[in-house]
Amino acid sequence: MFSKKMIRFPNTLAFRLTFWYTLVVITLITIAFSASYFSLKKTLDQNIESDLFDDIIEFKILYENEGLDGVKQEIEREMRLDDEERLFFLLLHKNGAQIYSSDLSHWQFLPENPHIIKQVFSSGESTFQTISVPEAEYKTKTIHGLISPDVLLYTGESVEEMQNIMTLLSNVFITVFLIVIPFASIIGWLMARHAVKGIKEVSRIASEIEKGKLDQRVAVSAQGDEITWLVNTFNAMLDRIRVLISEMKEMTDNIAHDLRSPLARIRVISESVLSDDNTPQEFKSAASDTIEECDWLLQMINSILDVAEAEAGVLHITKQKINISQLVQDACELFEAMAEQKRIKLVCRLENSCHIDGNIQSLQRMLANLLDNAIKYTLANGQVDIALTCTKQSIEIMVMDTGAGIPENDQARVFDRFFRCDQSRSHDGCGLGLSFSRAVARSHGGDISLSSCLGKGSCFTVKLPVTV
Ligand code: ADP
């Protein structure tokens, strides 16, 4: 039975580079080994064949000079110097009779090939063969060659020596392989990690930027390679985006600022139309609608300018020592009626006497925004909790609700100006409350974070240092 669990390899560039590097090293070592293995084998093969051929020539000359006795003595001499398991000699007459042989006790299953013998006698050309002798461990290379028109020498030698050299070479290869591959993998891994270090840094900064930290930049190395080029381009792109965003914000703020006065004038004119007794009733109702819309627009414009002000850090100028426990308590009391009206349980758990340095109005509005949202986006019979904890260094305010929750994809964007989740479009609001709250938290040296589960609720956590 196969295990259903498949081995999963990390899908990282560093892993893939290491994998390919190791594969290339394995392939190169294998090619180098195969090339040396086969060329060595060929050379050794040729050496044996040329030894055997030399034997035929040597015995031919001997036969011519000293006759059969001289040949026999030379065979005996060679057999004394060598191992009879490794070497054999057989002299055959043209009529098929065996004239003489070395000790063939180890070669009793030596195959004789009448066809080749006949062919060599008729052509006069020597013939090589590689044969497997039954019960012999190694193959044998043989030659059939004429030493006279009537006498054929059939001699052969075992390839044991050659085989031993080839086995030694294979063992060396396996040892080198086992040592080199782990080293190659480690070196490949280190090289790959070094190569992708820059890319990792770029993606780390990109994810920081995604969280809103637009001022982050990737450190440029002095190497001047492709990664440095990527980093430079990436940093330049961030500079450009930053400029574009600030220009866009500035433009929004300017438009908001410029719209405030004409809107205020329209409101005044509508008010005078409304308060004039001679105005017909339908004009009065139009004037009343105009005032309502003007109020809504003015409120939005003021919110935009408040966010701009908070982001610019103007709030720092007017900071004072604040009893934050009291501030949260007051906010709870203020929203109790609204919660009660929606049949929502509002629970406040506060540590006493927590103090921070800050701007009281903006912190009040930040708390109001968070509580207002929590109650607004929670259905009847739900619960909203606000908790304050403090240490010597910082305070933490958590606003939790059992409301609609925020989809995961929207969670990073709820703090952006004008962003509203699709599911919230039926509620009042213009998507500026949280961007204002975050700007306030940041202008106090802290920040605000969110954890939320769709359909279960949300928790906004504000962390502020005690002294800015
Ligand atoms: P709005 O005026 O729309 O409330 P905010 O900036 O305060 O603007 O909030 C932005 C969006 O974040 C809201 O439109 C809403 O979709 C979502 N949101 C904020 N607070 C909550 C919450 N407690 N529960 C669910 N959604 C929330």
Side-chain angles (χ1 to χ4, degrees):
M1 284 278 281
F2 289 106
S3 156
K4 280 190 179 173
K5 261 192 182 174
M6 296 258 290
I7 302 169
R8 287 187 73 108
F9 294 107
N11 188 19
T12 61
L13 185 58
F15 177 79
R16 268 180 280 153
L17 282 174
T18 311
F19 174 77
W20 286 113
Y21 176 77
T22 312
L23 202 71
V24 167
V25 172
I26 290 175
T27 314
L28 288 179
I29 291 182
T30 310
I31 290 173
F33 168 75
S34 308
S36 31
Y37 184 91
F38 288 112
S39 64
L40 183 66
K41 190 169 184 299
K42 200 174 169 200
T43 311
L44 292 175
D45 252 348
Q46 283 170 347
N47 279 351
I48 296 177
E49 282 182 7
S50 86
D51 277 356
L52 291 172
F53 194 72
D54 287 350
D55 277 350
I56 298 291
I57 306 282
E58 191 189 324
F59 280 104
K60 198 174 185 176
I61 296 167
L62 208 62
Y63 189 82
E64 276 166 14
N65 295 337
E66 297 177 27
L68 195 58
D69 285 343
V71 173
K72 282 181 189 172
Q73 276 167 18
E74 181 57 20
I75 290 176
E76 275 166 19
R77 197 183 67 78
E78 285 214 17
M79 291 313 291
R80 273 198 302 277
L81 295 175
D82 217 317
D83 184 356
E84 63 230 17
E85 281 182 41
R86 215 184 67 80
L87 195 67
F88 75 88
F89 291 95
L90 189 59
L91 288 174
L92 296 168
H93 195 269
K94 198 174 182 181
N95 61 16
Q98 193 172 316
I99 303 170
Y100 180 73
S101 77
S102 59
D103 180 1
L104 292 180
S105 51
H106 292 286
W107 299 93
Q108 49 185 313
F109 299 110
L110 182 69
E112 276 184 35
N113 196 328
H115 174 70
I116 291 183
I117 294 169
K118 207 173 159 193
Q119 196 189 319
V120 173
F121 270 116
S122 64
S123 70
E125 275 183 26
S126 303
T127 305
F128 291 102
Q129 264 188 307
T130 304
I131 56 168
S132 297
V133 179
E135 292 191 2
E137 201 178 334
Y138 301 98
K139 289 194 170 177
T140 307
K141 270 212 163 283
T142 64
I143 188 167
H144 289 79
L146 295 184
I147 58 170
S148 84
D150 295 333
V151 182
L152 177 144
L153 175 62
Y154 177 26
T155 178
E157 84 178 60
S158 152
V159 296
E160 180 184 352
E161 249 173 44
M162 180 180 101
Q163 201 61 50
N164 286 345
I165 294 172
M166 298 325 290
T167 312
L168 185 73
L169 186 70
S170 303
N171 289 343
V172 168
F173 168 72
I174 291 167
T175 316
V176 168
F177 200 79
L178 291 178
I179 294 171
V180 166
I181 295 310
F183 267 111
S185 308
I186 293 168
I187 290 169
W189 172 245
L190 292 176
M191 276 168 32
R193 272 208 7 193
H194 183 72
V196 299
K197 206 170 128 203
I199 301 174
K200 266 188 160 175
E201 186 58 9
V202 172
S203 65
R204 189 185 69 78
I205 298 293
S207 74
E208 293 277 305
I209 287 160
E210 203 204 7
K211 290 177 200 152
K213 297 180 181 169
L214 250 182
D215 50 343
Q216 294 265 14
R217 292 293 178 274
V218 188
V220 185
S221 79
Q223 281 171 345
D225 54 11
E226 289 88 342
I227 303 285
T228 314
W229 184 76
L230 170 73
V231 167
N232 280 331
T233 314
F234 183 71
N235 284 346
M237 184 189 75
L238 289 179
D239 289 341
R240 183 83 194 111
I241 291 174
R242 199 175 175 184
V243 169
L244 284 176
I245 289 178
S246 71
E247 278 176 4
M248 220 169 68
K249 277 187 183 166
E250 210 175 301
M251 198 171 72
T252 323
D253 297 345
N254 289 341
I255 292 172
H257 194 267
D258 292 350
L259 278 178
R260 207 153 51 163
S261 313
L263 269 173
R265 281 200 297 277
I266 294 170
R267 194 182 189 285
V268 170
I269 295 166
S270 304
E271 260 178 357
S272 68
V273 171
L274 190 66
S275 55
D276 189 341
D277 294 339
N278 296 327
T279 308
Q281 192 50 44
E282 56 276 31
F283 286 2
K284 277 194 173 185
S285 93
S288 157
D289 288 348
T290 309
I291 290 171
E292 215 174 282
E293 293 301 330
C294 280
D295 283 345
W296 163 242
L297 279 173
L298 282 167
Q299 191 194 332
M300 190 162 107
I301 286 167
N302 286 335
S303 300
I304 295 171
L305 295 173
D306 287 343
V307 174
E309 199 177 60
E311 282 178 354
V314 178
L315 304 170
H316 279 310
I317 301 162
T318 50
K319 69 175 182 187
Q320 62 190 96
K321 196 175 174 79
I322 301 168
N323 181 344
I324 193 85
S325 309
Q326 190 58 50
L327 207 74
V328 178
Q329 179 69 43
D330 291 347
C332 280
E333 282 166 15
L334 198 72
F335 279 87
E336 229 154 48
M338 181 178 165
E340 213 173 277
Q341 203 184 5
K342 269 196 81 177
R343 279 184 286 124
I344 288 170
K345 192 172 167 197
L346 180 62
V347 181
C348 293
R349 283 178 282 116
L350 314 174
E351 270 183 41
N352 282 329
S353 305
C354 299
H355 291 84
I356 63 162
D357 285 341
N359 180 284
I360 194 157
Q361 286 83 16
S362 61
L363 287 170
Q364 267 170 344
R365 285 183 56 195
M366 178 190 78
L367 287 172
N369 273 333
L370 295 176
L371 277 170
D372 184 54
N373 279 348
I375 295 170
K376 191 160 68 175
Y377 299 115
T378 300
L379 292 175
N381 303 321
Q383 181 167 325
V384 171
D385 286 72
I386 180 160
L388 169 72
T389 49
C390 53
T391 65
K392 271 187 186 164
Q393 287 80 34
S394 64
I395 63 130
E396 190 174 276
I397 305 164
M398 285 170 109
V399 181
M400 292 160 278
D401 64 59
T402 57
I406 297 169
E408 215 178 313
N409 287 344
D410 292 346
Q411 286 180 15
R413 301 177 62 198
V414 287
F415 297 102
D416 291 347
R417 287 184 186 196
F418 299 110
F419 181 81
R420 307 196 72 207
C421 303
D422 285 341
Q423 51 173 3
S424 317
R425 304 235 172 249
S426 54
H427 294 274
D428 288 349
C430 55
L432 286 167
L434 285 179
S435 40
F436 176 76
S437 302
R438 186 175 67 173
V440 170
R442 287 189 176 171
S443 73
H444 282 78
D447 211 341
I448 183 166
S449 62
L450 160 69
S451 68
S452 183
C453 185
L454 197 60
K456 290 193 174 160
S458 310
C459 174
F460 288 87
T461 307
V462 181
K463 272 191 188 159
L464 301 177
V466 167
T467 27
V468 185

